[in-house]
Amino acid sequence: MTGPGRTGQGTDRDIATAASAVPAPRRSAEPAPDAGFGGRLTAPLLLGSLLNPLNTTMISTALVSIGHHFGIGASSTVWLVSVLYLASAVAQPVLGRLADSIGPRRVFLAGLAVVAASGLVGAVAPGFGWLIASRLLLGVGTSAAYPAAMAVLRSESRRLGRPTPRTVLGRLSFAALGSAAVGPTLGGLLVATWGWRAIFAVNVPLAFVAFVCALWWIPADSVRRADGAGGTGEAREPAGLDPLGILLFTGTLTALVFFLLDLAHPAWWLLGPVAVLAAVLTWWQLRCPSPFIDLRMLGRNHALARTYLRHGLSYLVIYCVMYGFTQWLEEGRGFSSLHTGLLMLPMSVAALVCSLLGARTKGIRAPLITAAVLVTAGSALLLLATGATPVALLLLTGACFGIPQGLIGTSNQAAVYQHAPADAIGSAAGLQRTAQYLGAITASSLIALAYGQRASDGGIHLMAAVSVVLGLLLVALTVSDRALRARNRK
């Protein structure tokens, strides 16, 4: 039986339910997919985030000119590559922790100021040591942008009470991949037009524009944290920085890099400090309540650990070509910096296109297998490279590495998001970047061993042979990874 009061209540509920089910009003009330994440917020984040990958690859077409200017060989100029990766491998996770502690806007702006200063130092450097210092500062400064950008987006997501749209995260990923892909071509143009110092000087206006935009359009940290806490009730005490863990990690990595960079005359005694520091680092990380590297999580999560291994190995081979191939084109084939940059253009275009395709692909295993096979094929083509190799074959070789560069970045990022713990996605993403930097450092060491003082046909053949073996290993790791097959069945 239904009384008047109950009838009124039921009618009210039925009216409310029916009104909420009407398609048109509901659609008009929904925010746009990117509402709250508009161009003003994301523009400085994208501009700042492209500086690190751009500087990692842009220098490749300037190494020969720098070596000639200072009278040094490839075994010395390779330090310009390694020091930036060494600084970035340590600074990315450290600055990410700092952004959570004192605010992402402060860290973002401070990083851009360091980038501008490093560009000035490099542009007027009177000696090679000054260039090393410039690249060290550049690695630290550019490392602030990506983790700070992720923290800004997370804060905005908390304020709005909804997750960051995938399109916004996709733009951030594309900015990194795209800038790394066009780096060699842009570097060749700058060197040919204004000389190698332009590679450093270009960071000054880029950092200035990003700094001004960030100052205007990124909300102050205090307001943003208050909004996030008030809106969601999720404010948490930031994790400690673990300075001892950072120090031990830096020492271990630095000693290892010094050993790797002179494999022609290895300093075997350095392996002792590497082993001791690594053991102490492991001991401390397993006991620290807020470790710099969560080894326990990695020990439990084998799929994530394999993703890091696959990512680092992939970029080891890719960066061998990024730096080794460009040096050989200039010294082995006699091309100018501009022509070398143009020859690398197919690689850049292929990487850009495939990064977009990789972001739209639902599967992970197929793109990664394709990338591994192409990396191996491209390495095999380098075994045929000589002073008489047709330009068409050189262009094809570059494209064989451009396609994997686009597919690997987006696919391994998807694997990290799939396998990483939900409450540790930030640190997991940071470790993925560290694995990439370690691969790049090892690549620079292989180039130094293969080339010595000059990039020759014999040197590129040695580098290609090693890359073929690494490519086959990458194929095996990818094909045998059951976690990737499980992901594809979903």
Side-chain angles (χ1 to χ4, degrees):
M1 186 175 70
T2 304
R6 183 170 178 174
T7 301
Q9 293 172 2
T11 301
D12 291 341
R13 284 195 298 269
D14 291 341
I15 292 173
T17 302
S20 65
V22 177
R26 182 182 61 189
R27 285 196 299 267
S28 62
E30 287 180 350
D34 291 354
F37 299 91
R40 289 192 172 186
L41 177 69
T42 58
L45 303 182
L46 296 176
L47 184 56
S49 296
L50 63 80
L51 290 174
N52 185 273
L54 180 66
N55 278 282
T56 61
T57 59
M58 186 170 55
I59 191 75
S60 62
T61 51
L63 294 176
V64 172
S65 298
I66 292 172
H68 291 167
H69 181 87
F70 292 106
I72 55 179
S75 59
S76 297
T77 57
V78 74
W79 268 104
L80 295 175
V81 178
S82 300
V83 72
L84 187 140
Y85 283 122
L86 178 60
S88 299
V90 177
Q92 285 263 0
V94 173
L95 293 174
R97 291 278 190 94
L98 204 58
D100 289 334
S101 300
I102 67 173
R105 184 174 182 263
R106 293 185 180 94
V107 172
F108 191 86
L109 292 172
L112 291 172
V114 174
V115 171
S118 67
L120 288 173
V121 170
V124 300
F128 185 69
W130 286 90
L131 290 187
I132 294 292
S134 172
R135 292 285 287 181
L136 178 64
L137 288 173
L138 195 59
V140 174
T142 57
S143 293
Y146 180 74
M150 294 297 288
V152 167
L153 294 176
R154 179 186 61 190
S155 183
E156 183 69 10
S157 176
R158 288 178 177 174
R159 186 182 71 83
L160 296 174
R162 61 189 184 89
T164 302
R166 291 187 63 181
T167 53
V168 175
L169 294 175
R171 290 174 205 154
L172 205 61
S173 177
F174 180 76
L177 288 170
S179 58
V182 303
T185 302
L186 176 60
L189 179 62
L190 290 172
V191 173
T193 306
W194 292 291
W196 62 263
R197 293 185 186 274
I199 294 289
F200 296 87
V202 72
N203 287 286
V204 178
L206 290 176
F208 177 77
V209 172
F211 188 95
V212 172
C213 292
L215 204 59
W216 286 349
W217 295 334
I218 296 179
D221 292 318
S222 57
V223 174
R224 183 169 291 277
R225 285 201 303 272
D227 288 344
T232 66
E234 295 179 357
R236 293 177 296 179
E237 187 70 21
L241 286 178
D242 184 19
L244 180 57
I246 294 170
L247 183 63
L248 290 169
F249 179 75
T250 304
T252 304
L253 205 56
T254 302
L256 180 61
V257 169
F258 270 95
F259 172 78
L260 290 174
L261 280 181
D262 194 12
L263 292 178
H265 307 89
W268 297 107
W269 64 270
L270 282 172
L271 294 181
V274 169
V276 171
L277 288 170
V280 176
L281 173 65
T282 301
W283 174 83
W284 173 247
Q285 296 304 276
L286 292 175
R287 285 158 179 76
C288 180
S290 182
F292 176 61
I293 301 175
D294 194 344
L295 296 179
R296 294 186 185 278
M297 182 270 289
L298 287 177
R300 293 190 301 266
N301 197 331
H302 296 163
L304 184 60
R306 287 194 300 271
T307 299
Y308 292 149
L309 176 61
R310 186 173 59 244
H311 195 66
L313 184 60
S314 300
Y315 275 93
L316 191 164
V317 182
I318 287 174
Y319 280 116
C320 273
V321 175
M322 186 76 72
Y323 297 113
F325 189 37
T326 53
Q327 290 188 66
W328 176 81
L329 287 173
E330 292 188 49
E331 291 190 326
R333 284 297 304 268
F335 289 117
S336 67
S337 297
L338 177 59
H339 289 157
T340 298
L342 291 176
L343 284 171
M344 297 296 286
L345 188 59
M347 179 177 177
S348 303
V349 173
L352 286 171
V353 172
C354 290
S355 67
L356 293 175
L357 294 177
R360 297 184 178 214
T361 302
K362 293 183 179 179
I364 297 175
R365 186 170 182 259
L368 287 175
I369 291 177
T370 301
V373 170
L374 285 174
V375 160
T376 307
S379 300
L381 286 176
L382 284 179
L383 286 171
L384 307 175
T386 66
T389 301
V391 171
L393 187 58
L394 297 178
L395 293 173
L396 176 62
T397 302
C400 281
F401 286 93
I403 294 171
Q405 188 179 352
L407 295 177
I408 287 169
T410 53
S411 299
N412 279 331
Q413 183 183 54
V416 168
Y417 277 102
Q418 172 68 19
H419 301 308
D423 59 347
I425 190 64
S427 59
L431 285 177
Q432 182 194 4
R433 285 289 184 92
T434 299
Q436 179 175 328
Y437 298 137
L438 289 175
I441 291 170
T442 308
S444 63
S445 305
L446 179 58
I447 293 170
L449 175 63
Y451 285 165
Q453 294 299 311
R454 183 176 178 82
S456 62
D457 288 355
I460 199 170
H461 292 161
L462 173 60
M463 188 181 68
V466 175
S467 297
V468 168
V469 174
L470 294 175
L472 292 173
L473 177 60
L474 182 61
V475 171
L477 286 173
T478 307
V479 171
S480 62
D481 195 334
R482 295 182 179 180
L484 296 178
R485 290 200 293 268
R487 168 62 177 167
N488 277 345
R489 287 196 298 267
K490 291 182 180 180

Coordinates of all heavy atoms in Angstrom, one line a residue, residues 59-134:
I59 N 73.2 17.3 -29.1 CA 74.7 17.4 -29.1 C 75.4 16.5 -30.1 O 76.6 16.6 -30.4 CB 75.2 17.1 -27.6 CG1 76.6 17.5 -27.4 CG2 75.0 15.7 -27.3 CD1 76.9 18.9 -27.3
S60 N 74.6 15.5 -30.6 CA 75.3 14.4 -31.4 C 76.0 14.9 -32.6 O 77.0 14.5 -33.0 CB 74.3 13.3 -31.7 OG 73.2 13.9 -32.6
T61 N 75.4 16.0 -33.3 CA 75.9 16.5 -34.5 C 77.0 17.6 -34.2 O 77.5 18.2 -35.1 CB 74.8 17.1 -35.4 OG1 74.0 18.0 -34.6 CG2 74.0 16.0 -36.0
A62 N 77.3 17.9 -32.9 CA 78.2 18.9 -32.6 C 79.5 18.3 -32.0 O 80.5 19.0 -31.8 CB 77.7 19.9 -31.6
L63 N 79.5 17.0 -31.8 CA 80.7 16.4 -31.1 C 82.0 16.5 -31.9 O 83.0 16.7 -31.4 CB 80.4 14.9 -30.8 CG 79.3 14.6 -29.7 CD1 79.0 13.2 -29.6 CD2 79.7 15.3 -28.4
V64 N 81.8 16.3 -33.2 CA 83.0 16.3 -34.1 C 83.6 17.7 -34.1 O 84.8 18.0 -34.0 CB 82.7 15.8 -35.5 CG1 83.8 16.1 -36.5 CG2 82.3 14.3 -35.5
S65 N 82.7 18.7 -34.3 CA 83.2 20.1 -34.3 C 83.8 20.5 -33.0 O 84.8 21.2 -33.0 CB 82.0 21.1 -34.6 OG 81.4 20.8 -35.9
I66 N 83.2 20.1 -31.9 CA 83.8 20.4 -30.6 C 85.2 19.7 -30.4 O 86.2 20.3 -29.9 CB 82.9 19.9 -29.4 CG1 81.6 20.8 -29.4 CG2 83.6 20.0 -28.1 CD1 80.5 20.3 -28.5
G67 N 85.3 18.5 -30.9 CA 86.6 17.8 -30.8 C 87.7 18.5 -31.6 O 88.8 18.6 -31.2
H68 N 87.3 18.9 -32.8 CA 88.3 19.6 -33.7 C 88.7 21.0 -33.1 O 89.8 21.4 -33.1 CB 87.7 19.9 -35.1 CG 87.5 18.6 -35.8 ND1 86.8 18.5 -37.0 CD2 88.0 17.4 -35.6 CE1 86.8 17.3 -37.5 NE2 87.6 16.6 -36.7
H69 N 87.7 21.7 -32.4 CA 88.0 23.0 -31.9 C 89.0 22.9 -30.7 O 89.9 23.7 -30.6 CB 86.7 23.6 -31.4 CG 86.8 25.0 -30.8 ND1 86.8 26.1 -31.6 CD2 87.1 25.4 -29.5 CE1 87.0 27.2 -30.8 NE2 87.2 26.8 -29.5
F70 N 88.8 21.9 -29.9 CA 89.7 21.7 -28.7 C 90.8 20.7 -28.9 O 91.6 20.5 -28.0 CB 88.8 21.3 -27.5 CG 87.9 22.4 -27.0 CD1 86.5 22.3 -27.2 CD2 88.4 23.5 -26.3 CE1 85.7 23.3 -26.8 CE2 87.5 24.5 -25.9 CZ 86.2 24.4 -26.1
G71 N 90.9 20.1 -30.1 CA 92.0 19.2 -30.4 C 91.9 17.9 -29.6 O 92.9 17.4 -29.2
I72 N 90.7 17.4 -29.4 CA 90.5 16.1 -28.7 C 89.7 15.1 -29.6 O 89.1 15.5 -30.6 CB 89.8 16.3 -27.4 CG1 88.4 17.1 -27.6 CG2 90.6 17.2 -26.4 CD1 87.6 17.3 -26.4
G73 N 89.7 13.8 -29.2 CA 89.1 12.8 -29.9 C 87.7 12.4 -29.4 O 87.3 12.9 -28.4
A74 N 87.1 11.4 -30.0 CA 85.8 10.9 -29.6 C 85.8 10.3 -28.2 O 84.8 10.4 -27.5 CB 85.3 9.8 -30.6
S75 N 86.9 9.8 -27.8 CA 87.0 9.2 -26.4 C 86.9 10.3 -25.4 O 86.5 10.0 -24.2 CB 88.3 8.4 -26.2 OG 89.4 9.2 -26.4
S76 N 87.2 11.5 -25.7 CA 87.0 12.6 -24.8 C 85.7 13.3 -24.9 O 85.0 13.7 -23.9 CB 88.2 13.6 -25.0 OG 89.4 13.1 -24.7
T77 N 85.3 13.6 -26.2 CA 84.0 14.3 -26.4 C 82.8 13.5 -25.9 O 81.7 14.0 -25.6 CB 83.8 14.6 -27.9 OG1 83.8 13.5 -28.6 CG2 84.9 15.6 -28.3
V78 N 83.0 12.2 -25.8 CA 81.9 11.3 -25.3 C 81.5 11.7 -23.9 O 80.3 11.4 -23.5 CB 82.3 9.8 -25.4 CG1 83.2 9.4 -24.3 CG2 81.0 8.9 -25.4
W79 N 82.4 12.3 -23.2 CA 82.0 12.8 -21.8 C 80.9 13.8 -21.8 O 80.1 13.9 -20.8 CB 83.3 13.4 -21.1 CG 84.0 12.4 -20.3 CD1 85.2 11.8 -20.7 CD2 83.6 11.8 -19.1 NE1 85.6 10.9 -19.7 CE2 84.6 10.9 -18.7 CE3 82.6 12.0 -18.2 CZ2 84.6 10.2 -17.5 CZ3 82.5 11.3 -17.0 CH2 83.5 10.4 -16.7
L80 N 80.8 14.6 -22.9 CA 79.7 15.5 -23.0 C 78.3 14.8 -23.0 O 77.3 15.4 -22.6 CB 79.8 16.4 -24.2 CG 81.0 17.3 -24.3 CD1 81.1 18.0 -25.6 CD2 81.0 18.3 -23.1
V81 N 78.3 13.6 -23.5 CA 77.1 12.8 -23.5 C 76.9 12.1 -22.1 O 75.8 12.2 -21.5 CB 77.2 11.7 -24.6 CG1 76.0 10.8 -24.6 CG2 77.4 12.3 -26.0
S82 N 78.0 11.5 -21.6 CA 77.8 10.7 -20.4 C 77.5 11.6 -19.2 O 76.8 11.2 -18.3 CB 79.1 9.9 -20.2 OG 79.4 9.1 -21.2
V83 N 78.1 12.8 -19.1 CA 77.9 13.6 -17.9 C 76.5 14.1 -17.8 O 75.9 14.1 -16.6 CB 78.9 14.8 -17.9 CG1 78.5 15.8 -18.9 CG2 79.0 15.4 -16.5
L84 N 75.8 14.3 -18.9 CA 74.4 14.7 -18.8 C 73.5 13.6 -18.4 O 72.6 13.7 -17.5 CB 73.9 15.3 -20.2 CG 72.5 15.9 -20.1 CD1 72.5 17.1 -21.0 CD2 71.5 14.9 -20.7
Y85 N 73.8 12.4 -18.9 CA 73.1 11.2 -18.5 C 73.3 10.8 -17.0 O 72.4 10.4 -16.3 CB 73.4 10.0 -19.4 CG 72.7 10.1 -20.7 CD1 73.5 10.1 -21.9 CD2 71.3 10.2 -20.9 CE1 72.9 10.2 -23.1 CE2 70.7 10.3 -22.1 CZ 71.5 10.3 -23.2 OH 70.9 10.4 -24.4
L86 N 74.6 11.0 -16.6 CA 74.9 10.7 -15.2 C 74.1 11.6 -14.3 O 73.5 11.2 -13.3 CB 76.4 10.8 -15.0 CG 76.9 10.6 -13.6 CD1 76.5 9.2 -13.1 CD2 78.4 10.8 -13.5
A87 N 74.1 12.9 -14.6 CA 73.4 13.9 -13.8 C 71.9 13.6 -13.8 O 71.2 13.7 -12.8 CB 73.7 15.3 -14.3
S88 N 71.4 13.3 -15.0 CA 70.0 13.1 -15.1 C 69.5 11.8 -14.4 O 68.4 11.8 -13.8 CB 69.6 13.0 -16.6 OG 69.9 14.2 -17.3
A89 N 70.3 10.8 -14.5 CA 69.9 9.5 -13.8 C 69.8 9.7 -12.3 O 68.9 9.1 -11.7 CB 71.0 8.5 -14.1
V90 N 70.6 10.5 -11.7 CA 70.5 10.8 -10.3 C 69.4 11.9 -10.0 O 68.6 11.8 -9.1 CB 71.8 11.2 -9.7 CG1 71.7 11.5 -8.2 CG2 72.8 10.1 -9.9
A91 N 69.4 12.9 -10.8 CA 68.6 14.1 -10.5 C 67.1 13.9 -10.7 O 66.3 14.5 -10.0 CB 69.1 15.3 -11.3
Q92 N 66.7 13.1 -11.7 CA 65.3 12.9 -12.0 C 64.5 12.4 -10.7 O 63.6 13.1 -10.3 CB 65.1 12.0 -13.1 CG 65.4 12.6 -14.5 CD 64.2 13.1 -15.2 OE1 63.1 13.0 -14.7 NE2 64.4 13.6 -16.4
P93 N 64.9 11.3 -10.1 CA 64.2 10.9 -8.9 C 64.3 11.8 -7.7 O 63.4 12.0 -6.9 CB 64.7 9.5 -8.7 CG 66.0 9.4 -9.3 CD 65.9 10.3 -10.5
V94 N 65.5 12.4 -7.6 CA 65.8 13.3 -6.5 C 64.9 14.5 -6.6 O 64.2 14.9 -5.6 CB 67.2 13.7 -6.4 CG1 67.5 14.8 -5.4 CG2 68.1 12.5 -6.1
L95 N 64.8 15.1 -7.7 CA 64.0 16.3 -7.9 C 62.5 16.0 -7.9 O 61.7 16.9 -7.5 CB 64.4 17.0 -9.2 CG 65.8 17.6 -9.2 CD1 66.2 18.2 -10.6 CD2 65.9 18.7 -8.2
G96 N 62.2 14.8 -8.2 CA 60.8 14.4 -8.1 C 60.4 14.4 -6.6 O 59.3 14.8 -6.3
R97 N 61.3 13.8 -5.8 CA 61.0 13.8 -4.3 C 60.9 15.3 -3.8 O 60.1 15.6 -3.0 CB 62.1 13.1 -3.6 CG 62.2 11.6 -3.8 CD 61.1 10.9 -2.9 NE 61.4 9.5 -2.9 CZ 62.1 8.8 -2.0 NH1 62.7 9.5 -1.1 NH2 62.2 7.5 -2.1
L98 N 61.8 16.1 -4.3 CA 61.9 17.5 -3.9 C 60.6 18.3 -4.3 O 60.1 19.1 -3.5 CB 63.1 18.2 -4.5 CG 63.6 19.4 -3.7 CD1 64.0 19.1 -2.3 CD2 64.8 20.0 -4.5
A99 N 60.1 18.0 -5.5 CA 58.9 18.6 -5.9 C 57.7 18.3 -5.0 O 56.8 19.1 -4.7 CB 58.5 18.2 -7.3
D100 N 57.6 17.0 -4.5 CA 56.6 16.6 -3.6 C 56.8 17.3 -2.2 O 55.8 17.5 -1.5 CB 56.6 15.1 -3.4 CG 56.1 14.4 -4.6 OD1 55.3 15.0 -5.4 OD2 56.5 13.2 -4.9
S101 N 58.0 17.6 -1.9 CA 58.3 18.2 -0.5 C 58.1 19.7 -0.5 O 57.4 20.2 0.5 CB 59.7 17.8 -0.1 OG 59.9 16.4 -0.1
I102 N 58.7 20.4 -1.4 CA 58.6 21.9 -1.3 C 57.7 22.5 -2.4 O 57.5 23.7 -2.4 CB 60.0 22.5 -1.4 CG1 60.6 22.3 -2.8 CG2 60.9 21.9 -0.4 CD1 61.9 23.0 -3.0
G103 N 57.2 21.7 -3.3 CA 56.2 22.2 -4.3 C 56.8 22.1 -5.7 O 57.9 22.5 -5.9
P104 N 56.0 21.7 -6.6 CA 56.5 21.5 -8.0 C 56.8 22.8 -8.8 O 57.7 22.8 -9.6 CB 55.4 20.7 -8.7 CG 54.1 21.0 -7.9 CD 54.6 21.2 -6.5
R105 N 56.1 23.8 -8.5 CA 56.3 25.1 -9.2 C 57.7 25.6 -8.9 O 58.4 26.1 -9.7 CB 55.2 26.1 -8.9 CG 55.3 27.4 -9.6 CD 54.1 28.3 -9.3 NE 54.1 29.5 -10.0 CZ 54.5 30.7 -9.5 NH1 55.0 30.7 -8.3 NH2 54.4 31.8 -10.2
R106 N 58.0 25.6 -7.6 CA 59.3 26.1 -7.2 C 60.5 25.3 -7.8 O 61.4 25.8 -8.3 CB 59.5 26.0 -5.7 CG 58.5 26.9 -4.9 CD 58.9 26.9 -3.4 NE 58.0 27.7 -2.6 CZ 56.9 27.4 -2.0 NH1 56.4 26.1 -2.2 NH2 56.1 28.2 -1.4
V107 N 60.3 24.0 -7.8 CA 61.4 23.1 -8.4 C 61.4 23.3 -9.9 O 62.5 23.4 -10.5 CB 61.1 21.6 -8.1 CG1 62.0 20.7 -8.9 CG2 61.2 21.4 -6.6
F108 N 60.3 23.5 -10.6 CA 60.2 23.7 -12.0 C 60.9 25.0 -12.4 O 61.7 25.0 -13.3 CB 58.7 23.8 -12.5 CG 58.5 23.7 -13.9 CD1 58.4 22.5 -14.6 CD2 58.4 24.9 -14.7 CE1 58.2 22.5 -16.0 CE2 58.2 24.9 -16.0 CZ 58.1 23.7 -16.7
L109 N 60.6 26.1 -11.7 CA 61.3 27.4 -12.0 C 62.7 27.4 -11.7 O 63.6 27.9 -12.4 CB 60.6 28.5 -11.2 CG 59.1 28.8 -11.5 CD1 58.5 29.8 -10.5 CD2 59.0 29.4 -12.9
A110 N 63.1 26.7 -10.6 CA 64.6 26.7 -10.2 C 65.3 25.9 -11.3 O 66.4 26.3 -11.7 CB 64.7 26.0 -8.9
G111 N 64.7 24.8 -11.8 CA 65.4 24.0 -12.8 C 65.6 24.8 -14.1 O 66.7 24.7 -14.7
L112 N 64.6 25.6 -14.5 CA 64.7 26.4 -15.7 C 65.8 27.5 -15.5 O 66.5 27.8 -16.5 CB 63.4 27.1 -16.0 CG 62.3 26.1 -16.5 CD1 61.0 26.9 -16.6 CD2 62.7 25.5 -17.8
A113 N 65.9 28.0 -14.3 CA 67.0 29.0 -14.1 C 68.4 28.4 -14.2 O 69.3 29.0 -14.8 CB 66.9 29.6 -12.7
V114 N 68.5 27.1 -13.8 CA 69.8 26.4 -13.9 C 70.1 26.1 -15.4 O 71.2 26.2 -15.9 CB 69.8 25.1 -13.1 CG1 71.0 24.3 -13.4 CG2 69.7 25.4 -11.6
V115 N 69.0 25.8 -16.2 CA 69.2 25.5 -17.6 C 69.7 26.8 -18.3 O 70.6 26.7 -19.1 CB 67.8 25.1 -18.2 CG1 67.9 25.0 -19.8 CG2 67.4 23.7 -17.7
A116 N 69.1 27.9 -18.0 CA 69.6 29.2 -18.6 C 71.0 29.5 -18.3 O 71.8 29.8 -19.2 CB 68.7 30.3 -18.2
A117 N 71.4 29.3 -17.0 CA 72.8 29.5 -16.6 C 73.7 28.5 -17.3 O 74.8 28.9 -17.8 CB 72.9 29.3 -15.1
S118 N 73.3 27.3 -17.5 CA 74.2 26.3 -18.1 C 74.4 26.6 -19.6 O 75.5 26.4 -20.2 CB 73.6 24.9 -17.9 OG 72.4 24.7 -18.7
G119 N 73.3 27.1 -20.2 CA 73.5 27.5 -21.6 C 74.5 28.6 -21.8 O 75.2 28.6 -22.8
L120 N 74.4 29.6 -20.9 CA 75.4 30.7 -21.0 C 76.8 30.2 -20.8 O 77.8 30.6 -21.5 CB 75.0 31.8 -19.9 CG 73.8 32.6 -20.2 CD1 73.5 33.5 -19.0 CD2 74.0 33.5 -21.5
V121 N 77.0 29.3 -19.8 CA 78.4 28.8 -19.5 C 78.9 28.1 -20.8 O 80.0 28.3 -21.2 CB 78.3 27.8 -18.3 CG1 79.7 27.1 -18.2 CG2 78.0 28.6 -17.1
G122 N 78.1 27.2 -21.4 CA 78.5 26.5 -22.6 C 78.8 27.4 -23.8 O 79.7 27.2 -24.6
A123 N 78.0 28.5 -23.9 CA 78.1 29.3 -25.1 C 79.4 30.1 -25.1 O 79.9 30.5 -26.1 CB 76.9 30.3 -25.2
V124 N 79.9 30.4 -23.9 CA 81.2 31.2 -23.8 C 82.3 30.4 -23.3 O 83.4 31.0 -22.9 CB 80.9 32.5 -22.9 CG1 79.8 33.3 -23.5 CG2 80.6 32.1 -21.5
A125 N 82.2 29.1 -23.2 CA 83.2 28.2 -22.6 C 84.6 28.4 -23.2 O 84.7 28.2 -24.4 CB 82.8 26.8 -22.7
P126 N 85.6 28.8 -22.4 CA 86.9 29.0 -23.0 C 87.7 27.7 -23.1 O 88.7 27.6 -23.8 CB 87.6 29.9 -21.9 CG 86.9 29.6 -20.7 CD 85.5 29.2 -21.0
G127 N 87.3 26.6 -22.4 CA 88.0 25.3 -22.5 C 87.0 24.2 -22.4 O 85.8 24.3 -22.1
F128 N 87.5 23.0 -22.6 CA 86.6 21.8 -22.7 C 86.0 21.5 -21.3 O 84.9 21.0 -21.2 CB 87.4 20.6 -23.2 CG 86.5 19.3 -23.4 CD1 85.6 19.3 -24.3 CD2 86.7 18.2 -22.5 CE1 84.8 18.1 -24.5 CE2 86.0 17.1 -22.7 CZ 85.0 17.1 -23.7
G129 N 86.8 21.8 -20.2 CA 86.3 21.5 -18.9 C 85.0 22.3 -18.6 O 84.1 21.9 -17.9
W130 N 85.0 23.6 -19.1 CA 83.8 24.4 -19.0 C 82.6 23.8 -19.6 O 81.4 23.9 -19.1 CB 84.0 25.8 -19.5 CG 84.9 26.6 -18.6 CD1 86.3 26.7 -18.7 CD2 84.5 27.5 -17.5 NE1 86.8 27.5 -17.7 CE2 85.7 28.0 -17.0 CE3 83.3 27.8 -17.0 CZ2 85.7 28.9 -15.9 CZ3 83.3 28.7 -15.9 CH2 84.4 29.2 -15.4
L131 N 82.8 23.1 -20.8 CA 81.7 22.4 -21.4 C 81.2 21.3 -20.6 O 80.0 21.0 -20.5 CB 82.1 21.9 -22.8 CG 82.4 23.0 -23.9 CD1 82.6 22.3 -25.2 CD2 81.2 23.9 -24.0
I132 N 82.1 20.5 -20.0 CA 81.7 19.5 -19.1 C 80.8 20.0 -17.9 O 79.8 19.4 -17.6 CB 82.9 18.7 -18.5 CG1 83.7 18.0 -19.6 CG2 82.5 17.7 -17.4 CD1 83.0 16.9 -20.2
A133 N 81.3 21.1 -17.3 CA 80.5 21.7 -16.3 C 79.1 22.2 -16.8 O 78.1 22.0 -16.1 CB 81.3 22.9 -15.7
S134 N 79.1 22.7 -18.0 CA 77.8 23.2 -18.5 C 76.9 22.0 -18.7 O 75.7 22.1 -18.4 CB 78.1 23.9 -19.9 OG 76.9 24.2 -20.5

